[in-house]
Amino acid sequence: MVPVGWYMALAAALFLIGALGMLLRRNALVMFMCIELMLNAVNLTLISAGRALNDLNGQVAVFFILVVAAAEVVVGLAIIVAIFRRRATASVDELSELRG
Amino acid sequence: MVETILFVLAALAALAGAVTVVLARNPIYSAVGLLGTLFSVAILYVVQLAHLVAAVQVIVYAGAVMTLFLFVIMLIGVDKEENREETLPRQRFWVGSVAGVIVLFAAGVALFGDFAWVPAAGDPVDQEMTNGTVQAIAEPLFTDWVLAFEATALLLTIAAAGAIVLAQFRRKRV
């Protein structure tokens, strides 16, 4: 049996890569994918902790996170498309004004 | 032994996919990398006996969410080159520092992570692992968490309605 620490380390690495992508990339779509990456890293920690504690509630929590993430993706992508229609760009650097 | 092999393979695939997401210049490659990571994480769920969550991960994430991502990438065009010059001073330094701290944390967890996991009351850890079947997940989902479950139903409805409102075509108002 692989120790839980290894799963946690893998999740930390995935979260780190996601956070770095969030900081380094300018494309709104790629930044959004990095958010998904970080969410998945957190899900992995919940599953692993649930197994280590022999508790099903970790998996239930992941279930809820999946649902909320799906809702978040729908709204986020709609916002990106709406911005692109108006400004013809997906780069967050060029979206420096609050007015449409 | 099987778990170790599966863990190593899936972990390497997940990391490779994640690195692809961040480094690929074309958003399509980023999306494919994310797809690989999602599948690898689903494998890790199966290894840990979270069967239902793994299935939902593949169906919802790898299926629905990634399709949506690819649609939007096609919609807004993939040919634009991203501007990669530095706009914030010393950005790389701070990013590197944060990354270093997290890497040290992860290494510490992996090497010295001899956790004193406290199992739920009356549940010795060495008994057989919790098996995340549909039946096993449904029981807490529809008893302890039923209010949260109904709230997510409402949330999904609101999100769908919001997406329609945001995406509908409007004439330009001047």
Side-chain angles (χ1 to χ4, degrees):
Chain A
M1 194 166 127
V2 178
V4 182
W6 287 100
Y7 287 102
M8 293 296 178
L10 173 65
L14 286 178
F15 191 94
L16 169 74
I17 296 171
L20 283 182
M22 196 71 201
L23 291 170
L24 293 173
R25 296 301 297 262
R26 313 273 166 75
N27 189 325
L29 273 170
V30 178
M31 291 173 78
F32 214 62
M33 288 184 213
C34 291
I35 294 178
E36 299 304 315
L37 208 56
M38 290 193 276
L39 276 170
N40 261 276
V42 174
N43 283 349
L44 187 57
T45 63
L46 282 172
I47 295 271
S48 309
R51 190 192 62 160
L53 296 173
N54 214 355
D55 190 346
L56 266 181
N57 282 325
Q59 296 184 21
V60 177
V62 170
F63 193 78
F64 283 122
I65 292 177
L66 281 172
V67 175
V68 175
E72 171 236 339
V73 164
V74 168
V75 176
L77 287 178
I79 290 175
I80 291 177
V81 170
I83 289 175
F84 182 80
R85 274 214 190 118
R86 209 154 258 244
R87 311 293 296 265
T89 180
S91 167
V92 291
D93 271 354
E94 292 168 39
L95 302 173
S96 51
E97 296 168 8
L98 280 177
R99 67 182 186 85
Chain B
M1 189 59 204
V2 178
E3 189 189 349
T4 313
I5 296 169
L6 275 176
F7 174 81
V8 171
L9 290 179
L12 288 177
L15 288 174
V19 170
T20 310
V21 172
V22 176
L23 293 185
R25 289 187 172 254
N26 190 330
I28 295 274
Y29 294 151
S30 294
V32 174
L34 186 57
L35 199 59
T37 302
L38 296 176
F39 269 113
S40 313
V41 172
I43 291 173
L44 291 175
Y45 290 168
V46 173
V47 169
Q48 304 196 66
L49 298 183
H51 304 296
L52 175 66
V53 177
V56 171
Q57 164 104 354
V58 170
I59 294 169
V60 174
Y61 253 120
V65 170
M66 290 316 295
T67 311
L68 207 56
F69 261 111
L70 287 171
F71 259 109
V72 172
I73 291 171
M74 298 300 180
L75 201 61
I76 72 178
V78 294
D79 47 348
K80 284 221 180 80
E81 192 60 37
E82 192 174 325
N83 173 21
R84 284 182 182 246
E85 66 186 47
E86 296 273 332
T87 48
L88 296 175
R90 308 187 59 181
Q91 182 181 349
R92 293 242 159 84
F93 170 76
W94 288 110
V95 169
S97 315
V98 172
V101 168
I102 302 179
V103 164
L104 283 179
F105 176 74
V109 167
L111 295 177
F112 308 108
D114 195 11
F115 299 99
W117 293 100
V118 183
D123 247 2
V125 182
D126 52 25
Q127 77 181 35
E128 64 191 58
M129 277 193 284
T130 329
N131 207 337
T133 56
V134 177
Q135 198 177 3
I137 296 285
E139 207 246 306
L141 191 63
F142 290 112
T143 53
D144 297 342
W145 301 90
V146 69
L147 191 63
F149 183 76
E150 297 297 338
T152 53
L154 191 62
L155 176 77
L156 274 178
T157 314
I158 294 171
I164 292 170
V165 170
L166 279 170
Q168 73 181 188
F169 185 77
R170 280 194 216 102
R171 294 264 161 233
K172 204 179 256 179
R173 293 163 300 176
V174 180

